Amino acid sequence: MTISTAPVQADAEVLPVEPPAGGNRLFAWLVVAAGAVYFLLPLVTTGYWSLRAVKDTFGFEAYRRVFADPAFVRSFSESVVNAIAAIVLSLLIIVPTAYWVTLRLPRLRPVVEFITLLPFVIPAVVLVFGLIRMYGRPPLLLTRTYDSSRVLLVCAYAALSFPYMYRSVDNGLRAMDVRTLTEAAQSLGASWATILRRVIFPNLRVALLSGALLTFAIVIGELTVALFLAQQTFGPFMANLTRSKVYEPAAMALVAFAITWAALGLIAFLTRPRHKVTR
Amino acid sequence: MKAFLSLNGVRKEFAGSVAVEGFTLDVTEGEFVSFLGPSGCGKTTTLRMVAGFEVPTTGRITLAGEDITYAKPNQRNVGMVFQSYALFPNMTVAHNVAFGLRVRKEQAAARDERVAQLLELIHLPDKGDAYPHQLSGGQQQRVALARALAIRPKVLLLDEPLSALDAKIRDELRYEIRRIQQELNITTIYVTHDQEEALALSDRVVVMSRGRIEQVGPPFEVYNNPATAFVASFVGQLNRLSAVVTNSASGTVRVGDSEVRTTSPVDAPGGSEVFLMLRPEELTLDDQADNVLTGKVDTVTFLGSIVRVQVAVNGGRLTADLFNERLLRLPVAGESTLISFPAHACWVMSRESH
Ligand SMILES: Nc1ncnc2c1ncn2[C@@H]1O[C@H](COP(=O)(O)OP(=O)(O)OP(=O)(O)O)[C@@H](O)[C@H]1O
Ligand SMILES: [Mg+2]
């Protein structure tokens, strides 16, 4: 008997254990389906409305009108410029900070991480009130003109991007051996500026892109801060349109949605695991 | 010979704990010096002080007549090779090698020529356009070496450059490093915890323990005349037998019932208990040498070029390494045997020092 039991035991170890299938799997699918309906239904409805601008037919009239509206083009391009400025500002602040923390102050990492997470905790309304109270008064008076308010808006957006940017950059830095690369560059004669420019930034390209695209997706349709700073960007424009029109806002919402997803898709594409040639 | 690189009374503390102390060493130009010692003995820390990544707590470091103790790492002109290669992943091999030259704003033509010359030197002339991730570990480390050498450094520092590689590549690259070092006659400090590597490569070996230098000398010297108990046991293998001093002046001790003659006086009074230390390769399983013990064969391990035999004797166990030859009669476990060794192979050590 002992002879026959041995191989059976060995087999049992090798075979993968089947999960208790059936009920569990069905439930999982139900959850997925419910989630899909919850997210997709509004989208489908919006899509439906966006195509009904001409009575009794489906068509892209609403989209045509949106794109033909100079206010759309103006506000949208203003938002794009703001987003790019915010991204650049955010990068210039976050990359050296994250680099220095990784290299010299690893113990401060949790503190810095917490600080960069503050925009998640502080509602945008509170943030913008704080900004106006702080920078709208002498000696700065940044809220006096449209352009100076715009500077403030870009700064606020940069702050809003910190959680995403810091996370991306920090992940990127963790993926490379920052300390040794820095030391290698130093021993070859490089200065800090050279190291950042020639070694750190280029190796963070993918991380920076994903941080930048996330920032872009958030900033492009941002409403609260822009509204309180009296900026005529894409967010307020869209909100305004909702009050007077029916089909165009639906079309525009879908456009904004598409842009966001394009940004996310691009992140996924750029950060996809590459086939690595090794050995 | 005049010192080219010298460390003088160097000491390094990290938050109160001492990593390196009393480190004084003169290295001549073109010399290959290894730092050898167990993990945590301060090899890397010392190397990093020469590179400028750490600043000594006290002491001085001079290089080519210049005090560099507090000089910034990017102003020392020192080549550094790391265990993890540390090639810039965003740059091709050629750009990696050229990095230091670019930083120095060297002319493009001169730069390209230098890069080609170095790729030739490391036997990778066709890999200039490859990226680091397309190379094997051994190739990457060659490139790292070329990159460090490109700037014509005053001294080349290597911190366990081979420990991330397979045994075979390690051996190959080891000789490659030595060849290149001799070809360029570049002053080199090589950190390792692999004694074979240190012995095979170096002009001189610095054996370290707990932040201090134990012994400095040529490999042959360090291996055959260890200055301290630590060196004796860390460099090479060592048998240890319990023994009792019978005559301090003539250097005679007793192991079990047998008298053992040594060549130098024993630094312990008669009757005191000591250890007798012997290298495995100095033992033979016969009665031909000065001192003969009797024992019983414990295990026999055939290792190819050598046969390792463990023999239980009075006072402990001895490992003997015999050279293989076709006509060798392999000892058999359990049989009794004679084991002998010359008087000059004996090394007596007091028990406290161990
Ligand atoms: N940055 C640091 N901060 C605090 N302690 C350190 C630091 N660097 C090294 N040490 C300590 O100094 C001692 C010597 O370290 P070092 O890295 O020089 O050893 P090593 O001989 O290179 O060892 P290994 O063979 O493991 O690389 C160790 O006890 C280590 O913990
Ligand atoms: Mg080390």
Side-chain angles (χ1 to χ4, degrees):
Chain A
M1 283 323 282
T2 44
I3 298 167
S4 67
T5 52
V8 172
Q9 274 177 345
D11 277 352
E13 268 174 27
V14 174
L15 285 173
V17 183
E18 275 284 313
N24 261 347
R25 190 170 290 180
L26 185 69
F27 181 71
W29 277 111
L30 275 177
V31 171
V32 170
V37 169
Y38 183 79
F39 281 109
L40 289 178
L41 212 54
L43 213 59
V44 172
T45 322
T46 311
Y48 175 78
W49 278 108
S50 75
L51 298 172
R52 296 301 303 265
V54 181
K55 209 168 186 306
D56 294 335
T57 54
F58 285 102
F60 290 96
E61 176 61 17
Y63 291 89
R64 198 197 55 74
R65 276 191 230 151
V66 165
F67 285 112
D69 184 350
F72 164 80
V73 177
R74 204 201 48 72
S75 66
F76 190 74
S77 46
E78 186 170 326
S79 277
V80 169
V81 173
N82 287 350
I84 291 169
I87 287 166
V88 171
L89 181 62
S90 179
L91 283 183
L92 289 178
I93 296 171
I94 291 294
V95 174
T97 308
Y99 173 60
W100 202 249
V101 167
T102 309
L103 195 63
R104 288 292 151 87
L105 307 164
R107 271 182 309 175
L108 278 189
R109 174 178 259 146
V111 177
V112 175
E113 204 160 309
F114 176 74
I115 292 173
T116 61
L117 280 179
L118 284 179
F120 277 167
V121 191
I122 300 173
V125 181
V126 177
L127 174 71
V128 70
F129 266 112
L131 285 174
I132 292 170
R133 281 196 70 91
M134 182 69 208
Y135 298 104
R137 291 200 295 196
L140 289 161
L141 287 172
L142 274 180
T143 48
R144 226 172 29 179
T145 68
Y146 186 85
D147 285 339
S148 66
S149 295
R150 195 173 172 189
V151 170
L152 203 52
L153 182 73
V154 167
C155 292
Y157 285 170
L160 286 182
S161 79
F162 283 172
Y164 310 97
M165 208 55 110
Y166 183 78
R167 237 129 249 273
S168 306
V169 170
D170 195 45
N171 280 340
L173 287 173
R174 277 167 198 250
M176 61 179 171
D177 187 353
V178 172
R179 188 168 141 165
T180 317
L181 287 180
T182 300
E183 287 178 353
Q186 273 184 310
S187 72
L188 292 166
S191 63
W192 290 116
T194 308
I195 296 172
L196 267 172
R197 192 166 47 89
R198 302 276 312 275
V199 179
I200 302 302
F201 265 101
N203 283 308
L204 281 177
R205 227 179 41 216
V206 171
L208 296 184
L209 257 170
S210 77
L213 290 174
L214 275 172
T215 306
F216 188 85
I218 291 153
V219 164
I220 199 72
E222 203 282 334
L223 176 64
T224 318
V225 182
L227 212 53
F228 277 91
L229 287 175
Q231 296 288 298
Q232 284 141 29
T233 52
F234 187 55
F237 170 74
M238 196 155 64
N240 206 14
L241 207 64
T242 322
R243 267 181 248 142
S244 52
K245 303 268 174 57
V246 181
Y247 308 106
E248 286 84 348
M252 207 147 32
L254 279 189
V255 170
F257 185 79
I259 289 168
T260 310
W261 276 91
L264 292 175
L266 207 54
I267 297 174
F269 175 74
L270 290 168
T271 56
R272 75 196 182 281
R274 302 276 173 85
H275 173 69
K276 237 188 166 178
V277 189
T278 38
R279 300 295 111 115
Chain B
M1 275 237 255
K2 209 167 142 289
F4 183 67
L5 167 67
S6 71
L7 292 91
N8 213 318
V10 170
R11 174 189 177 88
K12 178 68 185 176
E13 288 172 23
F14 287 112
S17 77
V18 180
V20 176
E21 61 182 326
F23 199 103
T24 298
L25 177 73
D26 285 340
V27 181
T28 56
E29 194 160 9
E31 197 178 13
F32 193 121
V33 173
S34 290
F35 292 175
L36 174 65
S39 188
C41 71
K43 309 179 292 289
T44 298
T45 304
T46 310
L47 197 75
R48 289 171 61 82
M49 287 191 280
V50 177
F53 301 133
E54 307 283 0
V55 176
T57 312
T58 57
R60 299 260 129 207
I61 301 173
T62 57
L63 177 60
E66 214 179 308
D67 187 330
I68 57 160
T69 315
Y70 303 110
K72 295 214 174 86
N74 61 357
Q75 269 140 35
R76 293 193 178 200
N77 206 15
V78 154
M80 184 94 188
V81 176
F82 301 85
Q83 180 180 340
S84 57
Y85 325 137
L87 294 177
F88 305 125
N90 57 311
M91 299 179 202
T92 60
V93 165
H95 278 105
N96 264 283
V97 176
F99 185 87
L101 304 173
R102 260 175 223 272
V103 168
R104 281 168 176 67
K105 306 224 159 30
E106 212 163 284
Q107 298 244 306
R111 198 175 65 206
D112 293 348
E113 196 185 317
R114 178 85 181 140
V115 170
Q117 190 187 339
L118 280 154
L119 292 182
E120 198 68 51
L121 186 72
I122 57 165
H123 298 319
L124 293 174
D126 307 326
K127 293 288 187 193
D129 293 331
Y131 279 88
H133 71 92
Q134 296 169 319
L135 303 181
S136 72
Q139 291 173 327
Q140 288 189 51
Q141 196 58 297
R142 279 165 205 256
V143 175
L145 183 65
R147 181 180 66 176
L149 291 170
I151 59 171
R152 298 184 174 82
K154 293 191 186 124
V155 54
L156 178 64
L157 309 174
L158 305 105
D159 192 354
E160 309 207 14
L162 305 181
S163 24
L165 300 169
D166 305 343
K168 186 126 199 243
I169 316 256
R170 199 153 56 209
D171 279 9
E172 210 178 286
L173 204 49
R174 180 199 284 175
Y175 294 108
E176 198 80 331
I177 288 175
R178 181 61 162 162
R179 171 185 69 80
I180 290 170
Q181 185 266 335
Q182 289 184 325
E183 210 169 307
L184 303 179
N185 192 37
I186 183 167
T187 313
T188 301
I189 297 185
Y190 189 100
V191 163
T192 179
H193 59 247
D194 180 340
Q195 42 143 329
E196 199 183 307
E197 224 167 82
L199 295 177
L201 282 171
S202 323
D203 295 316
R204 280 193 300 159
V205 178
V206 177
V207 185
M208 296 177 65
S209 158
R210 298 200 207 151
R212 295 185 154 275
I213 295 183
E214 291 275 327
Q215 185 173 7
V216 183
F220 188 83
E221 188 64 26
V222 167
Y223 187 87
N224 287 312
N225 292 313
T228 65
F230 174 82
V231 177
S233 56
F234 188 76
V235 183
Q237 286 207 321
L238 208 56
N239 287 299
R240 197 176 74 181
L241 291 180
S242 302
V244 177
V245 179
T246 46
N247 189 331
S248 308
S250 68
T252 321
V253 298
R254 198 179 66 242
V255 176
D257 306 325
S258 318
E259 287 285 315
V260 170
R261 286 193 294 118
T262 72
T263 48
S264 47
V266 175
D267 190 17
S272 55
E273 301 204 321
V274 291
F275 285 126
L276 175 67
M277 318 290 259
L278 295 160
R279 293 272 188 221
E281 68 271 19
E282 290 188 300
L283 305 176
T284 46
L285 296 190
D286 56 27
D287 59 356
Q288 298 301 300
D290 307 336
N291 299 301
V292 184
L293 301 177
T294 53
K296 206 165 121 189
V297 176
D298 225 1
T299 60
V300 179
T301 316
F302 183 69
L303 296 169
S305 63
I306 59 172
V307 181
R308 183 157 294 167
V309 185
Q310 294 204 304
V311 180
V313 296
N314 241 332
R317 247 152 75 105
L318 287 175
T319 300
D321 282 349
L322 316 176
F323 275 110
N324 172 51
E325 54 170 309
R326 261 167 242 212
L327 299 180
L328 184 75
R329 192 192 71 84
L330 281 183
V332 179
E335 74 182 9
S336 51
T337 183
L338 295 174
I339 187 161
S340 71
F341 45 91
H344 64 249
C346 298
W347 199 57
V348 176
M349 200 168 52
S350 72
R351 295 221 174 164
E352 295 84 66
S353 71
H354 208 71

